[in-house]
Amino acid sequence: MANLVLQPLSSFILVTTTPNDYVSTNFTVRELVRSELATRLNLPNWFQSNDELRNAVRVCREVLQPIRDRFWPFTPNSVYRSQALERKLKGKPANWKSKSQHTRGEAADIEVSGLTNLELARWIRDHLPHDQLIAEFVKLDDPTSGWVHVSLRENNNRGEVLTFDGIRYTKGLWTDGKTYRSLSDL
């Protein structure tokens, strides 16, 4: 894809964008809406607005592509999630509306083979813009556990860094300059 000319964000509109369109050097729109659960349950998982589409393209260009450039190919676990998919994931009723940044196209959950999720989170924290960066469901005794959630807004990014162990959120990454023997040491 060396000859790929990236289109400006404003050119991404729902009526002309297809799953096979490239949004960065290595990523297509298909990877931004990919969901095994949505496919399995026949749930719709396509953008509802141009803003959602453009937000996902921004996340791809400013977060996902730089990670791929620095490390190696990977496929994001989840980027955009429709409200129907989000309700199914969270076990919520049909009238519930999620406020997740995934439903606005502003977030991605990722893992990169060969890196621990804490290594990936530290690299993102130190090198890429982000609104929220969360090492989710990581276990101290299993460095490959969990995944990294990273979000990016068009403006006013908080630069917040958290660890979520499945019970509570903790500011920062667990291993920031410390060695922990167990969760009780946090």
Side-chain angles (χ1 to χ4, degrees), residues 1-147:
M1 296 276 76
N3 296 330
L4 180 69
V5 175
L6 295 180
Q7 300 301 317
L9 281 178
S10 61
S11 71
F12 288 94
I13 55 175
L14 291 176
V15 295
T16 59
T17 299
T18 71
N20 293 327
D21 290 343
Y22 274 87
V23 297
S24 73
T25 306
N26 300 111
F27 287 94
T28 64
V29 173
R30 182 180 317 284
E31 291 173 281
L32 305 181
V33 296
R34 179 187 150 280
S35 168
E36 293 174 17
L37 180 63
T39 300
R40 193 168 54 248
L41 299 177
N42 200 29
L43 293 171
N45 198 47
W46 187 255
F47 305 102
Q48 297 301 301
S49 73
N50 291 330
D51 286 342
E52 292 169 358
L53 170 60
R54 291 172 185 153
N55 289 339
V57 172
R58 181 180 301 103
V59 167
C60 183
R61 288 181 176 179
E62 296 186 33
V63 177
L64 302 178
Q65 187 63 52
I67 292 169
R68 187 174 273 186
D69 291 344
R70 170 60 178 90
F71 297 104
W72 36 80
F74 71 96
T75 299
N77 300 350
S78 176
V79 181
Y80 174 77
R81 292 186 203 144
S82 67
Q83 287 290 336
L85 177 56
E86 187 74 1
R87 280 191 289 276
K88 186 54 93 171
L89 282 169
K90 305 280 171 73
K92 299 292 185 177
N95 64 344
W96 179 79
K97 186 167 177 166
S98 174
K99 294 180 181 175
S100 168
Q101 287 183 287
H102 286 282
T103 63
R104 295 190 305 269
E106 295 177 336
D109 291 341
I110 56 177
E111 299 173 80
V112 175
S113 180
L115 291 178
T116 70
N117 290 313
L118 287 171
E119 288 171 329
L120 176 59
R122 277 194 297 271
W123 189 85
I124 294 168
R125 178 198 61 199
D126 295 343
H127 296 94
L128 300 178
H130 58 275
D131 180 50
Q132 273 193 327
L133 173 64
I134 309 171
E136 293 192 292
F137 294 95
V138 294
K139 298 176 184 173
L140 294 173
D141 59 348
D142 181 4
T144 62
S145 63
W147 59 87

Side-chain angles (χ1 to χ4, degrees), residues 156-171:
N156 303 318
N157 288 294
R158 296 171 282 179
E160 185 174 51
V161 178
L162 303 166
T163 299
F164 180 66
D165 64 5
I167 299 169
R168 67 182 176 275
Y169 288 91
T170 306
K171 286 189 180 270

